């Protein structure tokens, strides 16, 4: 291991990276709070400003994937569709199997220029998370509690609010509702059997109501559905901690562009269409495990420098006062000061571990583990 790789793997280095992300994120959240005065005056200006501010946060995580770990992301798609990416609104359906699938999704958003305006149907608990959750609030992200009877009106209202959004956006929806685990898969396939639906090998049974409502609310605003299937080479099991430690992964993403006109308007027909789509996604994963490749032409979209430049800006701005503070505390020689410093380091390390833990599969949501709650269509 070279010296750079060794430093990347050290926990102190992780603390510094997280310090830059959290402090810069809180600064940006504060600026976002002040932009609220623009909402009643010029809503579209508010939105454009917050897209740029949100980019300053999410781009730092993309920087970790692209520049820090050097992870390679290859896109498989049809050449005739490639030029449309980033130039139209789209609904993105992505499998939810990996701890960093969201980060790979953001990576492709960044390379096609829609990272700042990217949207997601997210669980409500995330809206309370500092930095990311608060950033999403100002981006008008659609939150749900994953209880459809309670969510329906909130989701519809949030989606209709996006119809006049001034920036091109990709709206991500994990139709499986939760991250794939063997336990959840077993329960999901029991539901499939009870409903007479074809079983899936690599996915959970899709939950169709949220997708159908999303299509209905965004029809004539969104141009296409991007059916996206992600996998990693050599049976890699990527983690956010691995990325933070500088470990390089190799991601492959297959994207099919499906014009929204091909998605049925009727809710029942839309449900059948989505189930058929997931059977096709399962076949694509089967082919990938067998051949190591997806259909379509492999393309590596060019990496842009902005994620790295933004991170360097925040690092230069925030590290000097941090180092000055540390030096002053150590040179003071006060036992109380040193004890306080040690306590801060301990709290920071616990906070970093909790942040990373949010993405870990074995600490993920229990949603989908209780078969009595499986009311999928």
């Amino acid at each position: 291991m070279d010296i750079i790789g060794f430093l990347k793997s050290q926990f102190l280095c992780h603390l510094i990276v997280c310090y830059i992300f959290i402090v810069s994120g809180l600064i940006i959240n504060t600026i976002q709070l002040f932009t609220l005065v623009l909402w009643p005056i010029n809503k579209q200006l508010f939105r454009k400003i917050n897209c740029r501010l949100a980019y300053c946060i999410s781009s730092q995580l993309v920087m970790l994937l692209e520049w820090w770990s050097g992870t390679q992301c290859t896109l498989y798609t049809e050449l005739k569709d490639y030029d449309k990416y980033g130039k139209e609104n789209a609904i993105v359906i992505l499998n939810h199997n990996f701890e960093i699938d969201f980060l790979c999704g953001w990576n492709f958003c960044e390379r096609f220029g829609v990272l700042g305006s990217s949207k997601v149907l997210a669980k409500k608990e995330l809206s309370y998370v500092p930095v990311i959750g608060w950033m999403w609030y100002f981006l008008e992200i659609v939150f749900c509690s994953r209880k459809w009877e309670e969510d329906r009106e909130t989701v519809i209202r949030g989606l209709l609010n996006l119809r006049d959004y001034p920036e091109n956006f990709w709206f991500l929806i994990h139709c499986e509702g939760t991250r794939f685990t063997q336990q959840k898969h077993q329960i999901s396939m029991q539901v499939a059997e009870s409903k007479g639906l074809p079983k899936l090998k690599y996915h959970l049974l899709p939950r169709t109501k949220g997708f159908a409502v999303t299509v209905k609310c965004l029809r004539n605003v969104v141009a296409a559905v991007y059916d996206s299937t992600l996998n990693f080479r050599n049976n890699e099991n990527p983690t956010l901690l691995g990325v933070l430690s500088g470990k390089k992964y190799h991601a492959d993403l297959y994207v099919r562009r499906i014009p929204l006109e091909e998605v049925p308007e009727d809710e029942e027909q839309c449900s059948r269409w989505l189930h058929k789509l997931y059977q096709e996604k399962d076949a694509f994963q089967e082919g990938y495990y067998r051949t190591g490749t997806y259909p379509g032409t492999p393309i590596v979209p060019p990496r842009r420098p902005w994620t790295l430049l933004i991170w360097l800006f925040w690092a230069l701005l925030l590290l000097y006062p941090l180092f000055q503070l540390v030096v002053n505390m150590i040179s003071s020689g006060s036992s109380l000061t040193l004890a306080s410093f040690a306590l801060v380091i301990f709290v920071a390390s616990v906070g970093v571990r909790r942040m990373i833990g949010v993405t870990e599969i074995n600490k993920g949501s229990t949603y989908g583990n209780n078969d009595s709650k499986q009311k999928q269509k």
Side-chain angles (χ1 to χ4, degrees), residues 25-26 29-30 32 50 57 126-140 143:
L26 292 175
N29 285 160
T30 303
Q32 288 182 302
N50 275 282
I57 294 176
L126 293 176
S127 66
Y128 305 112
V129 177
V131 184
I132 294 293
W134 297 349
M135 171 194 79
W136 278 352
Y137 173 82
F138 292 100
L139 278 181
E140 301 165 71
F143 293 103

Side-chain angles (χ1 to χ4, degrees), residues 41-56:
I41 302 171
N42 191 329
K43 182 171 71 172
Q44 302 297 48
L45 178 60
F46 167 88
R47 287 168 157 175
K48 291 180 178 181
I49 290 174
N50 275 282
C51 284
R52 275 73 183 170
L53 292 172
Y55 181 79
C56 292

Side-chain angles (χ1 to χ4, degrees), residues 100-117:
I100 64 166
D101 46 26
F102 79 97
L103 200 50
C104 292
W106 275 6
N107 173 71
F108 283 102
C109 286
E110 155 60 18
R111 298 199 181 192
F112 289 103
V114 294
L115 177 60
S117 58

